[in-house]
DNA sequence: ACAGGTACATACCGCGTGGTATGTTAGAAA
DNA sequence: TTTCTAACATACCACGCGGTATGTACCTGT
């Protein structure tokens, strides 16, 4: 299961994520991405079967980044409140560190599905959906535990889960790194959002 | 200032909003929209100067819909908590009723700006930005009042505002009307989200 | 009846884009 | 040295899309 991919592969992924973020998922052309690398289309089509495959690879990275960060800090011995707060803080920090990938994912939340053409396209879509859902289940379990223990309000679990996750992902919408940014701004935002997320559950 | 537009105008706007929502803002072509109307491009280009102008008109409708619903229920005599809760409930209900428009707006939150070509394009962008900001200021004022009265936690106002608004708009991401939907589901979701939004402020 | 304008339909053009087929170069293997 | 292959660059094509120029039915006032 170890992802055996070359350096050039990663370099293309990063450049694609940034281009998709800046120009928009549909607007950014393969030529744009290649030009941002100082290369041509040949390089990209040598490593990726199609434009869709490249975009899928970028979208798949996002939940893997956050999962690799959040899964290790989960601790079932903690109270659901503390557990959630730790997870939320770690999640937001990870999002800030891999922002372009998450901004790309954001553009696919609108539900423009249903136009799956090739078989490999649908397979990639399924992989992305599973990775996303598997990561969400980490939060689903801790929220469920909190509701059963009485720490969190008992409400529709799915609605609560998605709403809180969107709240934690809010910076993906409005944040872009600025040079005149106060020291430790992102950490401060992360704390505020983790607090708000926890408060929204209680 | 009275918007003097014909029925055909509105019909095109609705069809465009639904097409932009279903196929994606960049993917939906003018021909797609015309076809969904049983017409051809000629009709659309007769009423709108360009594809961008049509998209801009759709995006401009969204904050006007919510403003027309929320502004009348604001009441400075109420406590900030009650005032916010009423506004939030009304906002979410309005969003549910004009969902396609808000799903289109969502696709422009990603910050793919900076490619303004023509002068009229930038003017439209400014109108949209002002309408959006003006509407957000309704919530900004009530949150500010709550922070000053001590009812709400004192935190970064802009971060709080945007985070709460994204929380209230969360259904735009995951909700699509379904035939097997429980009776009064949207109203229940609206109550839950308004509660969560208020809890996140305290 | 006639003129003029409104509200579209039709046909067409130019351009950008995804994709491909064909070089070209550098390094490893023999 | 020779050969093979990975890793690209280059040139090109076919297609879809935005936009426009033109045609046409219908309605309205005179």
């Amino acid at each position: 299961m170890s992802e055996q991919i070359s350096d050039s592969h990663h370099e293309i992924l990063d450049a694609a994520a940034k281009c998709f973020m800046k120009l928009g998922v549909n607007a950014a052309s393969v030529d744009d991405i290649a030009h941002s690398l100082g290369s041509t289309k040949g390089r990209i089509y040598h490593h990726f079967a199609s434009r869709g495959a490249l975009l899928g690879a970028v979208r798949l990275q996002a939940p893997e980044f956050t999962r690799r960060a959040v899964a290790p800090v989960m601790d079932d011995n903690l109270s659901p409140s503390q557990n959630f707060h730790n997870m939320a803080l770690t999640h937001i920090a990870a999002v800030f560190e891999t922002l372009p990938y998450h901004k790309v994912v954001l553009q696919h939340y609108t539900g423009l599905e249903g136009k799956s053409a090739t078989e490999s396209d649908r397979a990639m879509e399924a992989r992305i959906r599973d990775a996303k859902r598997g990561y969400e289940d980490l939060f689903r379990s801790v929220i469920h535990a909190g509701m059963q223990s009485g720490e969190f309000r008992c409400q529709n679990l799915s609605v609560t889960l998605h709403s809180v996750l969107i709240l934690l992902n809010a910076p993906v919408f409005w944040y872009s790194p600025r040079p005149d940014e106060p020291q430790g701004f992102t950490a401060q935002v992360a704390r505020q959002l983790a607090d708000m997320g926890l408060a929204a559950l209680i």
Side-chain angles (χ1 to χ4, degrees), chain A:
Chain A
M1 196 54 187
S2 64
E3 296 286 342
Q4 194 82 346
I5 45 183
S6 66
D7 279 356
S8 185
H9 203 97
H10 273 115
E11 197 183 353
I12 294 174
L13 269 181
D14 273 0
K18 287 177 187 171
C19 273
F20 284 141
M21 171 185 67
K22 286 181 190 170
L23 306 174
V25 160
N26 300 277
S29 71
V30 179
D31 283 316
D32 289 333
I33 300 168
H35 187 71
S36 80
L37 285 162
S39 307
T40 66
K41 279 196 297 197
R43 181 177 173 189
I44 292 177
Y45 277 97
H46 176 74
H47 288 276
F48 295 90
S50 70
R51 192 196 117 103
L54 173 57
L55 177 56
V58 170
R59 292 172 58 197
L60 193 58
Q61 284 291 326
E64 290 185 354
F65 281 143
T66 49
R67 171 183 268 278
R68 271 203 284 270
V70 169
V73 308
M74 286 187 72
D75 185 354
D76 286 344
N77 297 325
L78 295 177
S79 72
S81 294
Q82 289 184 358
N83 207 6
F84 172 84
H85 199 268
N86 289 340
M87 291 167 64
L89 270 178
T90 309
H91 169 87
I92 300 169
V95 166
F96 273 127
E97 279 168 19
T98 55
L99 198 64
Y101 291 84
H102 298 278
K103 288 218 180 196
V104 171
V105 169
L106 179 69
Q107 302 183 41
H108 281 266
Y109 260 78
T110 59
L112 44 91
E113 43 236 326
K115 55 200 293 211
S116 53
T118 71
E119 177 61 32
S120 62
D121 261 1
R122 268 176 296 168
M124 175 61 90
E125 212 74 27
R127 283 188 61 186
I128 294 172
R129 190 167 39 85
D130 289 349
K132 173 172 169 286
R133 196 163 294 187
Y135 177 67
E136 289 173 353
D137 282 346
L138 301 183
F139 282 87
R140 185 189 294 270
S141 67
V142 88
I143 293 176
H144 183 67
M147 285 185 178
Q148 287 215 325
S149 79
E151 287 184 48
F152 298 162
R153 264 182 301 163
C154 279
Q155 297 177 123
N156 185 311
L157 180 55
S158 287
V159 172
T160 304
L161 171 67
H162 289 107
S163 304
V164 165
L165 280 180
I166 288 174
L167 178 64
L168 299 185
N169 282 320
V172 178
F173 288 88
W174 52 262
Y175 175 76
S176 290
R178 287 188 307 181
D180 62 328
E181 188 174 293
Q183 186 80 6
F185 176 67
T186 58
Q188 181 186 337
V189 170
R191 279 199 306 273
Q192 176 171 344
L193 283 178
D195 290 346
M196 290 179 68
L198 183 57
L201 292 174
I202 299 176

